Amino acid sequence: MSAEPRIGLIIPSSNSLTERQFNQYAPPGVGIHVTRLRMTGKWRKPWTELKDSLTEAAEALSDVKPGVIVFHCTANSMENGLAHEAAIVETVEKASGCPTMTTAQAITQAFDRFRIKTLVLISPYVKETNAHEVRYLKEAGYIVLHELGLGLETHAYSQVTPAEWQKVVKENTRAEADGYFLSCTNTRMIEAIEDLEKDLDKPVINSNQATMWSCLKKLGIRHSDKTLGRLFNEA
């Protein structure tokens, strides 16, 4: 691994927020390096067609010698269950020679950090995508008490404001939930976490927040940031 800690991200080509957020919230001295892959929306492909492109992306990203590579798309990493996720990780690790995780694995690590077993899922996705995530989470041992997807087109994910996300979450609370899962790497959900946790008094886990936390943990870097919620403010 390079002397400079580095995080490598393989993200959907349409994602406009991950790079900005990782560079904004990462501690000083951590390099953020991104490779884009056409894998969502009109570019969605079956695994047999995506595998070669993923291999090439992982090989290219490995040239900066990141300490960890993330296949960073929540919906795609959850889409076909744990076995498919394992195949993604194996493909990237084999091509790059770097430790690899998915966004979904980072999220479940964050759930486990707070012993979250029952949760509410909120996303910008269409119903079918939410259903894939519910199935993945069930297979991984979690209970989704309630889920809501806004049914947006991909280009509109980033246009929902943090205040709007707060409103949506508060309209979909469940008293019996251990925590709240704000799913998607291409939203401004991360900016709503601090206020939501104050209002709900429950952990709030978001795709980019959880992935940042998991990567830093993998790199052995401790980092506190109250704007990122309890995940970044508890030992």
Side-chain angles (χ1 to χ4, degrees):
M1 189 175 73
S2 168
E4 175 193 63
R6 295 173 180 169
I7 295 170
L9 302 168
I10 298 173
I11 68 173
S13 54
S14 59
N15 189 309
S16 62
L17 291 178
T18 286
E19 288 158 293
R20 182 191 313 174
Q21 291 176 5
F22 266 71
N23 280 292
Q24 176 180 347
Y25 292 107
V30 176
I32 306 299
H33 305 276
V34 174
T35 293
R36 312 184 87 80
L37 195 63
R38 282 179 161 172
M39 57 178 165
T40 59
K42 67 179 181 180
W43 307 110
R44 182 174 294 279
K45 301 175 182 137
W47 173 242
T48 51
E49 295 178 25
L50 181 65
K51 187 174 180 179
D52 286 346
S53 298
L54 181 60
T55 296
E56 186 176 346
E59 289 171 343
L61 194 52
S62 73
D63 289 346
V64 298
K65 296 182 170 50
V68 59
I69 290 178
V70 186
F71 178 79
H72 194 47
C73 179
T74 319
N76 277 41
S77 59
M78 291 187 177
E79 185 173 23
N80 292 303
L82 295 174
H84 177 68
E85 179 181 55
I88 291 172
V89 171
E90 181 182 14
T91 297
V92 175
E93 283 190 337
K94 182 177 179 181
S96 67
C98 299
T100 300
M101 72 174 77
T102 69
T103 314
Q105 289 174 334
I107 288 161
T108 57
Q109 286 174 20
F111 288 166
D112 293 347
R113 166 70 187 82
F114 292 109
R115 297 183 175 88
I116 294 171
K117 285 297 181 183
T118 60
L119 59 102
V120 171
L121 163 64
I122 302 293
S123 85
Y125 304 138
V126 297
K127 192 165 187 64
E128 181 183 7
T129 303
N130 262 26
H132 291 155
E133 296 202 351
V134 171
R135 285 196 295 271
Y136 171 94
L137 291 167
K138 181 178 179 181
E139 185 182 358
Y142 306 94
I143 298 169
V144 179
L145 297 171
H146 174 66
E147 57 85 13
L148 176 74
L150 298 187
L152 302 178
E153 296 290 338
T154 304
H155 70 272
Y157 293 0
S158 61
Q159 296 173 17
V160 183
T161 68
E164 289 170 329
W165 284 119
Q166 289 179 48
K167 182 174 183 292
V168 169
V169 175
K170 289 177 185 178
E171 289 172 348
N172 288 274
T173 57
R174 294 294 185 274
E176 62 271 38
D178 298 325
Y180 291 81
F181 172 33
L182 279 53
S183 177
C184 189
T185 64
N186 192 34
T187 71
R188 296 182 62 191
M189 291 169 164
I190 198 168
E191 299 172 57
I193 293 171
E194 183 180 13
D195 288 338
L196 279 172
E197 287 192 337
K198 288 177 182 176
D199 292 339
L200 303 175
D201 195 27
K202 297 279 181 76
V204 175
I205 305 302
N206 163 252
S207 300
N208 282 345
Q209 167 228 33
T211 301
M212 172 79 74
W213 172 79
S214 185
C215 286
L216 294 177
K217 185 177 177 183
K218 185 82 171 175
L219 295 173
I221 297 171
R222 297 180 65 86
H223 181 53
S224 295
D225 185 339
K226 68 182 182 65
T227 67
L228 295 177
R230 299 181 183 186
L231 193 59
F232 278 81
N233 287 279
E234 297 190 13

